[in-house]
Amino acid sequence: MAAAPDDAGLTVAYARPCDVRRRLGLGALDETERARAARISNRARHDHFIAGRALLRHCLSAAAGNAVRPACWQFMNGACGKPSVKPGLPQIRFSISHAEGLVAVAASSVSKIGIDLELVTGAQDTRPAPDQLTRRERAWLREHSEADRWLAFLQLWTAKEAVSKATGLGCSVDFRDIEIDVPAGRARCPDGLLASGDRVDFDLQTIQAHGATYCLSVARI
């Protein structure tokens, strides 16, 4: 659930949708969010959406030192569709990700951020797909045993997803333009993708939650 910002001004929380509903409730959602949820016919997607919005609002309030109530946050979409907090409110950057059974949110008053969450166990196909990896990433992946290769691939993939979200460009980015150095916790991007002098760091976690394993990555620019 929502936690206080760490020393770097980053707030990260993850939870099952049912736990968000039970512990935080849905009273903070606005009419637009409720209307959007009502249009989602798939029950699991519906529950994930409303839980993600509720968790986001509480994380934003935590990141702002509880100066704004969860129900008071308002949002807008940028040129590439990346949502942000409307002017007039504390400018907390945020990112949301979903995987089967879990929702994750990151918020920061300091950095551009992106978060990605992937289910490790129970996947339909656990063979890495290297076509979106760079030569160095494929070489790093080959260093792992076959048993460890799927998790290693998801570390690369979640980091790429998180970095692409942090840039604000999302799926419009060619993932081969984002090179992940897992041991260093650093991403290399070509000129033009980032502003001059920007540095991209990321944190990777393997989460054991409710009988499942997840890979979580948070990128900061």
Side-chain angles (χ1 to χ4, degrees):
M1 291 297 176
D6 64 15
D7 292 341
L10 179 67
T11 302
V12 177
Y14 55 86
R16 294 185 300 177
C18 61
D19 291 336
V20 174
R21 182 190 291 268
R22 177 173 55 85
R23 294 182 58 183
L24 300 180
L26 305 178
L29 273 65
D30 64 18
E31 291 183 4
T32 300
E33 292 165 330
R34 293 177 187 275
R36 181 175 171 184
R39 295 193 296 268
I40 302 174
S41 58
N42 181 279
R43 185 64 184 181
R45 287 183 57 219
H46 172 275
D47 291 349
H48 266 264
F49 173 76
I50 60 176
R53 301 307 295 186
L55 188 59
L56 167 64
R57 288 175 170 276
H58 284 269
C59 278
L60 288 173
S61 291
N66 296 311
V68 178
R69 291 187 296 112
C72 293
W73 293 100
Q74 296 180 321
F75 307 99
M76 58 185 289
N77 288 329
C80 295
K82 183 177 175 63
S84 62
V85 173
K86 281 189 174 181
L89 291 164
Q91 291 302 291
I92 310 295
R93 297 181 176 97
F94 63 87
S95 185
I96 307 175
S97 187
H98 302 266
E100 183 180 335
L102 210 65
V103 58
V105 173
S108 175
S109 59
V110 178
S111 306
K112 299 176 183 178
I113 57 170
I115 190 169
D116 190 58
L117 177 71
E118 299 288 344
L119 178 66
V120 178
T121 55
Q124 294 298 314
D125 187 351
T126 55
R127 292 171 298 176
D131 58 308
Q132 292 296 304
L133 304 183
T134 69
R135 177 183 57 81
R136 289 177 180 174
E137 290 168 341
R138 291 194 298 269
W140 180 80
L141 198 61
R142 288 194 296 270
E143 295 175 3
H144 294 77
S145 67
E146 186 173 349
D148 295 333
R149 199 164 293 160
W150 177 241
L151 176 58
F153 171 74
L154 285 182
Q155 289 177 324
L156 292 170
W157 190 260
T158 57
K160 283 176 180 282
E161 288 272 13
V163 171
S164 72
K165 291 181 180 180
T167 66
L169 299 174
C171 61
S172 65
V173 177
D174 187 334
F175 274 14
R176 288 166 297 188
D177 286 338
I178 301 173
E179 185 165 79
I180 300 300
D181 185 339
V182 172
R186 184 78 52 83
R188 290 182 286 269
C189 301
D191 293 341
L193 189 58
L194 301 174
S196 178
D198 276 351
R199 165 175 161 167
V200 189
D201 297 310
F202 60 87
D203 296 316
L204 282 167
Q205 296 182 50
T206 301
I207 300 169
Q208 304 291 335
H210 312 291
T213 303
Y214 299 85
C215 188
L216 176 71
S217 179
V218 181
R220 304 179 307 282
I221 299 176

